[in-house]
Amino acid sequence: MITYESVTKIFGSGRNAVTALDNLNLTIPKGEIVVLLGPSGCGKTTTLRLTNRLEAITRGNIYIDNQNIMDVNPVQLRQRLGYVIQAIGLFPNKTIADNISIVPRLMGWEKNEIEKRVDEMLQLVNLDPGIYRNRYPAELSGGQQQRIGVARGLAADPDILLMDEPFGAIDPINREQIQNEFLRLQAKLKKTIAFVSHDIHEAIKVGDRIALFDKGKLVQYDIPEIILTQPKNKFVADFVGADRALKVLGLMRVSDVMNRHPENILRADERTENALHFLKEKGFRYGIVIDGTMPAGYVTQATLSYEKGIVAGLAEKYPLFLKERTSLRDVLSFMLMYDLPLFCVLDDNENFTGTVTYKDIQQAVKESYAD
C-alpha cells in the first residue's frame, strides 16, 4: 500500500547538513498497522511528513498504490491521507462537528452528507452525537479530544491514516482505554496505518509490524514477536528491554494457551471423601468446584482432609475470572498478586470454558523463543 524506495531526507547543506532519514526501504502492507518506533530524532516523524509531502524528499521515491506521490497534487494527496497528531490540533473556535467535517467540506461534500458523516464518526468513537456535536474542544476532556482527532482523521474515509504519537499526551489510564478503542475501530475498518511511537509497550500492543529506527536508519522491520524474541543487534535488544520475555506475554492471549478440558473438576454436590479420593488418585493438589456452568471456587487436598460434607461448602472463591482475550502478561500479574497458580476462564455468557496455569504461561514463553 505504501512503499518507501531508497528514501533519504537531508536538512541543510554543507557542514550544517543533517541526514534525518538515510536510504529507507520499507513497505507497509494494506490493512495493517505499522509502528515506526525509535528514540527522538531517529527519523520516524520525518518519514510521515515525507509521506504527505509536508517535507520534500531529498532522494528516493514514495509510492501509494503504486503511484509516485510526486505525481499527485500535494493538497489532493493530503486529502486522501488521514492525519492524527499528538497535539490533536482541534480548532478551539469551531464546534466538534465543524472540526470533524473540515476535510469533507474542503472536498465539496453535500451538507446532508457531512452531517450524516459527523454523526457516524462520533458514534464510531463512542461519543453521543446529540451531546457532543455542538460542543467546543475546551468543553471536552483530553481523552475525548483525542477521540475527536481520530474521528477527524477518518472523516473523509481515507484508505491510509498517518498517526504521529497520537496518544502520547494522554494520561496512562485514558491512554490504555483509547488504545483499546483504536484497536476496536481498526478491527472494523482495516485501514492502512503508519503509526509513530517511542513507546515499546504501545508498539507491541497496536502494531501488526514494527519498524525500529536509529539515527535515521531502519534497523529492524518485523512482527512484534520477532522483534522481541530475535532482536537483530544490541541496539534493538537494549531498546526493547531486558524484560522482553514479559513483553512477549503482552502479545499472547488466554485463548492461546488455555486448557479447555481440565481434568481436576469436582461437582459442587460431591462428598468431600469422594473428592479427596479422586484428587489423590489422579495426583491433583487441588480441584476446581463447578456449580452448574460456573466455578464456585477451588478446594485442596488439605482442606478436604480436615472437613466433612460437600465440597461446595468448602470452596475458596477465586478473586477474579479471566476472559479468553485477557493478555498473559495480565494473567501472570494476577497470579503473583493473589498467589494463585491457576485461574478459571469464562466466555462472554459467564460460562466456564477452561483454565490457565503458571506452567501454561511458562511453556508459552519457552515455545515463543524456541520458534
Side-chain angles (χ1 to χ4, degrees):
M1 190 68 173
I2 311 177
T3 300
Y4 301 88
E5 184 181 88
S6 302
V7 176
T8 295
K9 175 61 181 177
I10 300 173
F11 290 100
S13 60
R15 293 181 180 178
N16 297 322
V18 175
T19 302
L21 199 62
D22 188 0
N23 197 38
L24 174 64
N25 289 282
L26 173 70
T27 296
I28 298 179
K30 184 175 183 179
E32 291 193 4
I33 302 173
V34 171
V35 177
L36 310 181
L37 181 68
S40 297
C42 69
K44 53 190 187 292
T45 293
T46 298
T47 301
L48 283 199
R49 292 177 63 83
L50 293 174
T51 307
N52 61 9
R53 293 184 62 181
L54 289 176
E55 299 287 353
I57 301 170
T58 304
R59 292 191 298 273
N61 297 287
I62 300 175
Y63 298 92
I64 294 178
D65 284 338
N66 297 317
Q67 182 180 31
N68 194 315
I69 64 169
M70 299 307 295
D71 296 333
V72 183
N73 178 282
V75 175
Q76 293 177 337
L77 174 68
R78 291 167 198 149
Q79 289 175 349
R80 287 174 51 190
L81 307 176
Y83 195 37
V84 183
I85 59 176
Q86 178 176 336
I88 308 172
L90 300 181
F91 294 101
N93 61 330
K94 294 182 180 293
T95 65
I96 298 307
D98 288 338
N99 269 283
I100 293 174
S101 64
I102 285 172
V103 175
R105 279 192 280 109
L106 290 173
M107 296 176 69
W109 288 27
E110 296 290 335
K111 183 178 179 181
N112 61 333
E113 286 183 293
I114 291 174
E115 291 178 353
K116 181 181 178 181
R117 186 62 175 170
V118 167
D119 288 350
E120 287 176 352
M121 290 297 95
L122 285 170
Q123 290 168 349
L124 197 65
V125 296
N126 282 343
L127 293 174
D128 186 339
I131 296 175
Y132 292 99
R133 66 175 356 264
N134 293 318
R135 289 189 177 182
Y136 289 85
E139 300 177 86
L140 274 59
S141 69
Q144 289 170 336
Q145 289 184 35
Q146 193 64 66
R147 291 186 187 193
I148 299 303
V150 173
R152 183 176 62 182
L154 292 168
D157 197 23
D159 293 326
I160 296 171
L161 203 57
L162 308 179
M163 308 186 77
D164 192 358
E165 300 206 42
F167 314 134
I170 307 291
D171 64 87
I173 294 176
N174 282 318
R175 187 178 190 185
E176 183 171 2
Q177 290 175 345
I178 200 169
Q179 286 170 347
N180 293 338
E181 191 75 21
F182 168 67
L183 291 174
R184 181 187 68 81
L185 292 179
Q186 173 63 0
K188 179 178 180 180
L189 301 176
K190 291 296 182 184
K191 300 295 184 182
T192 302
I193 301 174
F195 187 113
V196 165
S197 179
H198 66 274
D199 183 347
I200 181 63
H201 294 285
E202 181 172 67
I204 292 167
K205 180 173 184 176
V206 307
D208 295 301
R209 301 170 194 264
I210 296 174
L212 186 54
F213 289 77
D214 182 37
K215 299 176 182 177
K217 291 182 176 290
L218 177 63
V219 181
Q220 186 168 357
Y221 181 44
D222 272 306
I223 60 174
E225 291 90 338
I226 299 299
I227 294 283
L228 291 174
T229 60
Q230 300 176 39
K232 187 175 181 179
N233 56 27
K234 186 177 185 300
F235 168 78
V236 179
D238 289 345
F239 192 88
V240 300
D243 64 338
R244 56 182 181 272
L246 292 177
K247 293 186 175 80
V248 169
L249 292 179
L251 296 169
M252 299 179 181
R253 298 290 176 260
V254 164
S255 57
D256 298 326
V257 303
M258 65 182 286
N259 180 2
R260 297 183 183 274
H261 304 286
E263 296 181 16
N264 57 333
I265 299 297
L266 300 171
R267 295 196 321 272
D269 60 355
E270 188 84 57
R271 298 292 303 177
T272 54
E273 54 267 31
N274 294 335
L276 179 59
H277 175 75
F278 170 76
L279 294 182
K280 285 183 174 180
E281 183 180 51
K282 295 293 185 179
F284 298 131
R285 289 194 305 109
Y286 51 85
I288 302 166
V289 182
I290 300 295
D291 187 358
T293 62
M294 275 286 292
Y298 63 94
V299 291
T300 65
Q301 286 193 28
T303 302
L304 296 174
S305 298
Y306 293 106
E307 300 284 349
K308 300 297 181 183
I310 60 172
V311 296
L314 304 177
E316 186 79 21
K317 294 185 182 298
Y318 285 102
L320 54 86
F321 297 114
L322 306 175
K323 296 293 186 179
E324 292 193 22
R325 56 185 172 272
T326 305
S327 78
L328 294 190
R329 184 186 178 98
D330 289 343
V331 178
L332 181 59
S333 177
F334 297 146
M335 288 177 174
L336 295 173
M337 187 185 308
Y338 295 107
D339 194 24
L340 287 174
L342 178 146
F343 278 95
C344 293
V345 185
L346 305 184
D347 63 18
D348 290 335
N349 295 318
E350 304 301 314
N351 296 316
F352 174 73
T353 57
T355 62
V356 175
T357 68
Y358 176 78
K359 287 185 177 179
D360 294 330
I361 295 176
Q362 188 179 43
Q363 184 62 31
V365 173
K366 287 182 179 179
E367 290 176 357
S368 71
Y369 277 88
D371 291 342

